[in-house]
Amino acid sequence: WRTEMDTRLMRQKQAQQYLSMSHGTLYALRMKGIIPTITIGKSLFYDREALDRYIDSLSATSSQETK
């Protein structure tokens, strides 16, 4: 069985929990085009792989700042 966090596409609340961020922060990142979304019908989803890439980009940025 898959848990909610195992699914590739997440709704807003799931993505917030996955990234440990508030609704407003996730919304701002989406509006700036930093975190992409997928629309299926009238529903908005976040791709877990895109969220992982965002996390990786933060790690890369932190690594470069400490050099």
Side-chain angles (χ1 to χ4, degrees):
W1 291 85
R2 295 178 126 192
T3 64
E4 283 188 24
M5 290 299 171
D6 287 337
T7 60
R8 178 155 175 195
L9 297 180
M10 300 179 186
R11 295 193 178 270
Q12 175 83 21
K13 189 66 115 175
Q14 293 169 306
Q16 285 174 232
Q17 292 171 344
Y18 188 74
L19 295 172
S20 299
M21 64 176 54
S22 70
H23 172 84
T25 301
L26 185 57
Y27 176 80
L29 292 171
R30 177 170 60 96
M31 290 292 103
K32 292 177 182 177
I34 296 170
I35 295 181
T37 56
I38 298 167
T39 303
I40 301 174
K42 294 182 180 180
S43 298
L44 185 75
F45 295 94
Y46 293 85
D47 184 339
R48 184 172 43 86
E49 291 179 6
L51 300 180
D52 289 340
R53 284 192 300 275
Y54 170 71
I55 293 167
D56 291 342
S57 75
L58 296 177
S59 299
T61 302
S62 294
S63 297
Q64 291 173 359
E65 289 175 359
T66 57
K67 289 184 179 179

